[in-house]
Amino acid sequence: MSTSNPIQQTWQKISTPASLYWAQRNQRERRLLAAAGALMLSAAIYLLLLDPALSGRARLQKDLPALRQQAAELQALTAKAISLSGQQAGRPASQLSKEAVETALKSKGLTPQSVVLSGDMAKVQLSAVAFAGLLDWLDDAQKNAHWQVVDANVSAAGGANAQPGVVNATVTLWQQKHE
């Protein structure tokens, strides 16, 4: 047995019977087989290479206007976000004072039980307030006034006529001094 590689052995196993089959055919049959083989090869090339490329190109041409529109919208939103972030940085934070805290609470419809200032911290006590309103006020205080919540103690308002969503809260706010 020869020590040739497996590819050569496989080729010899295929080519020998194929050569015998080809030799047994007359000229007309050979032409028909060659034409059928060429037709099958062209169909395979078209189906595997050309059709996916052509259909993909047509799909991309159809989607391109929508993609361009989305890119323009994204660029506009990016420019708007950049301009808004510049405005936020330029806007001074409101000072943490008893009046500022009370005004912020009243703007959200909340009435504090007490507001105690101690240096750069404020302790706010609220009783029987809507939890959603408390969260709205804290979100606004963080985003707009740049006050940070250092400590928060929130508990459900108890009692015989306790309503869902009503809480008692003690919140400690802090504002870093900017020099």
Side-chain angles (χ1 to χ4, degrees):
M1 244 278 64
S2 70
T3 59
S4 62
N5 69 27
I7 296 174
Q8 287 178 340
Q9 290 175 356
T10 304
W11 176 252
Q12 287 175 357
K13 287 179 184 177
I14 294 172
S15 66
T16 304
S19 298
L20 287 174
Y21 181 79
W22 190 258
Q24 292 173 353
R25 305 292 145 225
N26 64 30
Q27 191 65 25
R28 182 172 178 244
E29 289 176 332
R30 287 182 188 171
R31 281 190 205 129
L32 285 173
L33 287 173
L39 182 65
M40 288 175 31
L41 180 65
S42 345
I45 289 174
Y46 176 79
L47 290 174
L48 295 175
L49 301 175
L50 294 177
D51 185 47
L54 293 174
S55 63
R57 183 177 179 206
R59 187 185 72 247
L60 287 176
Q61 284 179 342
K62 183 183 81 173
D63 294 345
L64 192 58
L67 292 173
R68 284 187 177 144
Q69 176 67 27
Q70 289 175 355
E73 289 173 5
L74 185 61
Q75 287 174 346
L77 287 173
T78 303
K80 186 175 182 179
I82 289 171
S83 71
L84 287 177
S85 69
Q87 289 175 357
Q88 283 282 50
R91 189 178 347 150
S94 59
Q95 252 340 68
L96 185 62
S97 67
K98 185 174 181 174
E99 295 78 25
V101 172
E102 288 174 347
T103 303
L105 282 165
K106 285 189 189 342
S107 73
K108 297 295 178 184
L110 303 173
T111 306
Q113 196 173 13
S114 71
V115 176
V116 178
L117 238 55
S118 172
D120 58 351
M121 298 182 98
K123 187 172 188 176
V124 181
Q125 289 185 334
L126 302 157
S127 63
V129 296
F131 184 66
L134 175 67
L135 289 181
D136 188 32
W137 170 66
L138 290 174
D139 183 51
D140 187 53
Q142 180 186 11
K143 288 181 181 172
N144 298 328
H146 303 288
W147 299 337
Q148 295 178 354
V149 177
V150 176
D151 184 40
N153 184 3
V154 180
S155 61
N161 15 346
Q163 298 176 357
V166 176
V167 296
N168 295 327
T170 302
V171 179
T172 305
L173 300 171
W174 173 70
Q175 183 177 35
Q176 182 179 8
K177 299 289 182 190
H178 297 287
E179 299 171 11

